[in-house]
Amino acid sequence: MIYDPRVRGIVFQIILVALLAAGIWWIVDNTIENLRRSNITTGFAFLRGRAGFDISDRLIEYSSDSSYGRALIVGVLNTAAVAAAGIVTATILGFLVGVGRLSNNWLIRKLATAYVELFRNIPPLLVILFWYQGVLALLPSVRDSVSLPLGSYLNNRGFYLPRFVWEPGSWLIFAGFVVGLALSWYLARRARMRQMATGQQFPVLLTSIALVVGLPLLGFLAAGMPVSVDFPQKGTFNLTGGMNVKPEFLSLYLALSFYTAAFIAEIVRAGIMGVPRGQTEAYSALGLRSNLGLRLVVIPQAMRIIIPPLTSQYLNLTKNSSLAVAIGYPDLYAIGGTILNQTGQAIEVVVIFMVVYLSISILTSLLMNWFNTKMALKER
Amino acid sequence: MQEHDMSWVRTEMALAQAAPRSQVGFGAWVRKNLFSTPFDAALSLLAILALAWSVPHILNWLFLDAVWTGADRTACLTTEQGGQLPAGWSGACWPFVSGRFGQFMFGRYPLEERWRVILTGILFIVLLAPLLIPKAPYKGLNAILFFGVFPFVAFFLLVGGFGLRYVETPLWGGLMVTLVISYVGIVVSLPLGILLAMGRRSKMPIVKLLSVIFIEAVRGVPLVTVLFMASFMLPLFVPPGMTFDKLLRALIGVALFASAYMAEVVRGGLQAIPKGQYEGADSLGLGYWQKTTFIIMPQALKLVIPGIVNTFIGMFKDTTLVLIISMFDLLGVVKQNISGDPTWATPQTAKTGYVFAAAIFWVFCFGMSRYSQYMERRLDTGHKR
């Protein structure tokens, strides 16, 4: 019986569980003892306490009188903001560089390769610090701000952009936008069904653009032009008005985009190279022109290879945004660290970190899996 | 009917004619590779313009306009900032790097003891180099020395003991810490990752569940959080009075983190092994461990060498994050010297220091990736489907 693998398996698992339970018990016991000694009460009640520190970069109302809970929400939103902006830029840049690596143009090909090899082999934290301390800190002071087109300014306090001011009645514009989107989605569906049934095509793209741009414009005019633009005004010591993008956000955003784009470029290249050459020859044989063939034949197949690794790159970017703490951008991690130092609630704060990051991971994976099943090979 | 007169047959190959002038030479190459279509030509022109603008700038900054000698910050300041250089000057401040080179390599390790670090480094290279060269003999002995004996020798050399002065880890820093963390991470994470991957594919439900929970939980959070946990929560987990070395905490964090990623890489290799290999091993009467060590793992690990090296490269880059729990690896020391040291505080110091650090990291990572490509080609036995 002692040689029966099933019995051995059960015995081994019992031993493992016993050891694990003993280990956990030991850890929990020690932790309770340590917490008792340092007079820390466990539990999440501390979240309602007054935070007492200020956060410079915030998307919602917050002051030092707000609670710890609200500070954490500010942090989560900041993480989400930099991750979303980074994902969009990294995707665009990554696709451009990835296609560039397969270009027929020798110079473009070499440049794209150099870009990928440079950024793939340097730690992202170094890139962040380089942008922050090496580039953005050297920009001129407010008084000598660099003037950029469209009334925006660049100086060592960040990037100043004009801001739209939405006055009452501007909901009509948003309503027009939403209705336009819905209508064009419906139109695309109908047009595809009609093409399937009768073979007649309908200029979906032009009509959609007209709807999505035209309806908000109509709303804008109907509501009596309720939008004005607030330009940044240059004073002696400060720039007032407009929208300020802080150097912390800028350097984190630029570094994460540049770094992740190098990886996305490699994924895109592998995806396009993964489509057999016969597919290109086949669409040419069917008489499709090259842009149509790329759109209908090559890209859908390449996307199937690209999407799964792309998902993990997006997750990496989101997780790398926690490097913000090195330059003082108040993301979830930085704010959580401040709270931990003030209250000593190490376990609770780490649990919050874990829950937030794991749920972001799971949410992204679910979304990308859904997209993946939509794009995946439908075998008939 | 037509009669052919076979009176002449060519007895030797006709000499090849020279290619048309339009197809050879520099001109043809440029036309084909840079200006084949109008769009291509526009792209090439744009790229040439961008290069013509940026390359001289970069070269000037790195070499021509750079300052090479000096004792402190005044060497790298313009006249309006209090130095001698012309206004508007911008260039690398290399004396900062050469003046602080010892710190960048060893941190605050005592000057008179630095020979120990250098000796460890030499031992490391002497043991590693024959391991990397496929033709060098005694691979088994070499591997035992490198992975089994070297860690102990290095530990006593670096920390102290046996008559050597004790050097506590807060004094360590620079490239030395980067390499120590990477080496320990690699040596610990590979076997741990293999075990976790086997656990995840195990038929025992509890083992499988525990492995999955560990792998997914660690992979789902950033390394910063894991390091943070290791540095703030480990002290809570042990009995009062027992303290952990800060470097040791970082090492535990990095090793656990890397092993979760390694497990997923190894699992990919295990999944690619055809079922017939398992059945073949079973039919030979091999037990689980024999089957795994002699049949499955050698094939699986060979398949995933690129993945393993990529994990190593990732880990090497991730060692920089220990700066967040205030430890000083190469990047940490550079940053500390840039923001905390007035002797070299100039507008150009930050850029110079980071370019130097980037070059070192780049050389290591690029070297590793090139080596993995070389191994991949060498090990390719043609069995791949």
Side-chain angles (χ1 to χ4, degrees):
Chain A
M1 201 168 89
I2 210 164
Y3 293 110
D4 184 351
R6 235 183 313 160
V7 177
R8 280 183 165 199
I10 290 169
V11 171
F12 177 69
Q13 291 187 68
I14 290 172
I15 295 174
L16 190 74
V17 170
L19 280 178
L20 200 73
I24 289 176
W25 186 79
W26 186 71
I27 285 177
V28 169
D29 187 55
N30 282 328
T31 311
I32 291 171
E33 171 69 15
N34 281 321
L35 290 177
R36 198 179 53 74
R37 279 176 177 233
S38 47
N39 284 326
I40 296 172
T41 46
T42 46
F44 288 92
F46 77 96
L47 286 178
R48 278 193 291 278
R50 179 178 175 275
F53 57 88
D54 216 5
I55 302 174
S56 58
D57 238 319
R58 54 182 184 250
L59 295 171
I60 53 171
E61 279 307 309
Y62 173 87
S63 72
S64 56
D65 283 328
S66 306
S67 66
Y68 283 127
R70 198 166 178 86
L72 281 172
I73 294 173
V74 172
V76 172
L77 288 177
N78 278 341
T79 296
V82 79
I87 282 175
V88 171
T89 319
T91 310
I92 296 170
L93 195 60
F95 271 75
L96 286 179
V97 175
V99 171
R101 284 204 71 176
L102 295 170
S103 160
N104 289 325
N105 188 321
W106 180 84
L107 198 59
I108 299 291
R109 206 162 59 226
K110 291 291 161 194
L111 278 178
T113 311
Y115 175 89
V116 169
E117 291 295 356
L118 179 68
F119 279 95
R120 235 177 15 160
N121 291 318
I122 293 178
L125 185 56
L126 206 157
V127 186
I128 294 174
L129 289 173
F130 181 80
W131 279 112
Y132 188 58
Q133 289 184 311
V135 178
L136 295 179
L138 297 191
L139 286 173
S141 64
V142 175
R143 196 181 307 193
D144 317 310
S145 296
V146 185
S147 247
L148 293 173
L150 294 173
S152 48
Y153 291 98
L154 193 62
N155 58 40
N156 59 5
R157 285 197 212 160
F159 195 25
Y160 287 79
L161 289 166
R163 182 169 60 105
F164 288 107
V165 181
W166 308 99
E167 279 145 29
S170 48
W171 64 269
L172 262 173
I173 302 171
F174 291 106
F177 182 68
V178 172
V179 171
L181 274 186
L183 275 181
S184 27
W185 178 75
Y186 177 72
L187 194 74
R189 244 177 94 97
R190 283 301 300 267
R192 195 176 326 132
M193 278 161 72
R194 197 174 73 142
Q195 194 185 349
M196 289 290 182
T198 65
Q200 285 172 311
Q201 288 187 333
F202 185 78
V204 178
L205 187 70
L206 288 177
T207 330
S208 305
I209 291 176
L211 279 173
V212 173
V213 176
L215 282 179
L217 206 67
L218 220 63
F220 176 65
L221 294 174
M225 303 199 238
V227 180
S228 59
V229 183
D230 177 21
F231 285 101
Q233 297 295 319
K234 203 167 139 185
T236 329
F237 298 111
N238 215 343
L239 278 163
T240 47
M243 191 169 68
N244 179 10
V245 185
K246 296 248 164 45
E248 287 84 18
F249 178 88
L250 263 185
S251 36
L252 186 66
Y253 156 73
L254 287 174
L256 288 181
S257 314
F258 277 48
Y259 178 74
T260 314
F263 288 87
I264 293 180
E266 282 301 271
I267 292 169
V268 169
R269 184 174 78 113
I272 295 176
M273 277 170 55
V275 179
R277 216 184 142 61
Q279 297 288 328
T280 314
E281 288 162 1
Y283 79 66
S284 318
L286 284 175
L288 288 178
R289 269 172 291 117
S290 97
N291 58 347
L292 211 57
L294 273 179
R295 211 181 77 207
L296 297 174
V297 178
V298 177
I299 291 177
Q301 297 186 64
M303 284 311 265
R304 283 183 201 134
I305 310 175
I306 291 172
I307 287 171
L310 194 63
T311 312
S312 60
Q313 282 311 319
Y314 287 172
L315 288 178
N316 277 349
L317 190 146
T318 312
K319 285 186 277 176
N320 278 339
S321 70
S322 58
L323 300 180
V325 68
I327 52 168
Y329 175 70
D331 78 324
L332 168 68
Y333 182 80
I335 289 176
T338 314
I339 293 175
L340 192 150
N341 281 335
Q342 285 191 5
T343 61
Q345 308 275 2
I347 298 175
E348 290 82 353
V349 170
V350 170
V351 166
I352 292 173
F353 283 170
M354 292 237 162
V355 168
V356 171
Y357 281 117
L358 282 178
S359 34
I360 291 177
S361 294
I362 292 170
L363 213 69
T364 315
S365 318
L366 284 180
L367 203 71
M368 292 305 275
N369 281 343
W370 169 79
F371 190 54
N372 196 19
T373 24
K374 241 179 100 73
M375 299 294 285
L377 196 60
K378 291 188 189 65
E379 296 199 31
R380 280 182 259 265
Chain B
M1 287 290 269
Q2 198 178 350
E3 291 278 316
H4 283 283
D5 182 12
M6 304 278 281
S7 61
W8 186 80
V9 174
R10 192 188 281 277
T11 52
E12 67 228 15
M13 296 292 281
L15 287 173
Q17 273 189 349
R21 283 205 65 97
S22 64
Q23 297 295 314
V24 289
F26 183 67
W29 184 89
V30 166
R31 217 173 311 127
K32 185 157 167 267
N33 287 301
L34 296 180
F35 299 100
S36 60
T37 61
F39 177 67
D40 229 19
L43 272 182
S44 299
L45 280 180
L46 261 179
I48 290 170
L49 280 179
L51 283 177
W53 181 81
S54 62
V55 170
H57 262 82
I58 294 173
L59 287 181
N60 276 341
W61 188 86
L62 279 176
F63 304 112
L64 297 180
D65 286 346
V67 174
W68 294 92
T69 50
D72 60 0
R73 61 198 293 264
T74 46
C76 302
L77 289 176
T78 60
T79 39
E80 53 198 10
Q81 291 157 343
Q84 298 97 38
L85 293 160
W89 170 85
S90 154
C93 182
W94 295 122
F96 164 63
V97 172
S98 52
R100 292 279 181 260
F101 191 74
Q103 275 204 31
F104 290 172
M105 293 297 118
F106 308 105
R108 291 187 294 130
Y109 209 86
L111 269 178
E112 62 276 15
E113 305 289 337
R114 281 185 184 169
W115 62 269
R116 284 155 53 178
V117 185
I118 296 171
L119 182 64
T120 317
I122 291 173
L123 270 179
F124 177 77
I125 294 168
V126 165
L127 287 175
L128 181 66
L131 211 55
L132 294 183
I133 301 168
K135 283 208 185 95
Y138 306 118
K139 275 277 175 314
L141 179 72
N142 201 337
I144 291 171
L145 281 177
F146 187 68
F147 292 109
V149 181
F150 174 71
F152 296 99
V153 177
F155 178 82
F156 284 114
L157 268 176
L158 294 179
V159 179
F162 292 122
L164 289 170
R165 209 181 103 196
Y166 179 68
V167 182
E168 56 270 22
T169 53
L171 293 182
W172 298 20
L175 185 62
M176 165 193 167
V177 163
T178 301
L179 290 178
V180 166
I181 296 178
S182 317
Y183 175 79
V184 174
I186 288 170
V187 170
V188 175
S189 73
L190 190 57
L192 210 59
I194 291 176
L195 278 182
L196 279 170
M198 280 159 59
R200 195 169 179 165
R201 283 175 63 80
S202 161
K203 288 194 186 73
M204 294 183 268
I206 294 175
V207 175
K208 186 173 176 176
L209 184 73
L210 289 176
S211 309
V212 170
I213 290 176
F214 178 83
I215 294 172
E216 292 305 327
V218 171
R219 271 162 38 96
V221 297
L223 173 59
V224 177
T225 312
V226 177
L227 282 175
F228 194 77
M229 252 181 94
S231 85
F232 282 92
M233 287 174 74
L234 271 187
L236 281 179
F237 288 164
V238 295
M242 188 172 152
T243 50
F244 264 118
D245 189 84
K246 201 169 188 178
L247 181 68
L248 184 65
R249 282 184 255 167
L251 285 178
I252 294 175
V254 169
L256 288 183
F257 187 77
S259 61
Y261 280 81
M262 197 65 82
E264 284 301 274
V265 172
V266 175
R267 185 168 73 110
L270 288 176
Q271 277 174 350
I273 304 296
K275 212 174 163 215
Q277 297 291 326
Y278 290 89
E279 289 165 354
D282 286 337
S283 70
L284 284 176
L286 299 181
Y288 178 77
W289 290 103
Q290 284 172 318
K291 181 169 72 179
T292 309
T293 23
F294 296 123
I295 311 285
I296 306 300
M297 271 305 159
Q299 298 186 63
L301 290 181
K302 202 172 81 180
L303 279 179
V304 292
I305 285 180
I308 291 177
V309 177
N310 277 340
T311 314
F312 286 169
I313 296 175
M315 196 167 60
F316 189 77
K317 287 186 291 182
D318 281 345
T319 53
T320 51
L321 303 196
V322 297
L323 116 77
I324 284 168
I325 53 168
S326 51
M327 282 186 42
F328 299 103
D329 74 317
L330 174 60
L331 184 61
V333 171
V334 172
K335 181 172 188 283
Q336 190 193 24
N337 272 295
I338 287 168
S339 36
D341 184 1
T343 328
W344 285 104
T346 79
Q348 299 297 332
T349 312
K351 238 190 246 178
T352 312
Y354 289 136
V355 165
F356 171 73
I360 290 189
F361 277 108
W362 190 85
V363 166
F364 273 95
C365 294
F366 188 70
M368 277 195 265
S369 78
R370 276 298 133 113
Y371 183 73
S372 101
Q373 285 169 14
Y374 160 75
M375 274 322 270
E376 211 181 325
R377 274 198 306 276
R378 237 189 90 80
L379 287 175
D380 189 5
T381 41
H383 292 315
K384 250 184 225 159
R385 283 172 302 165

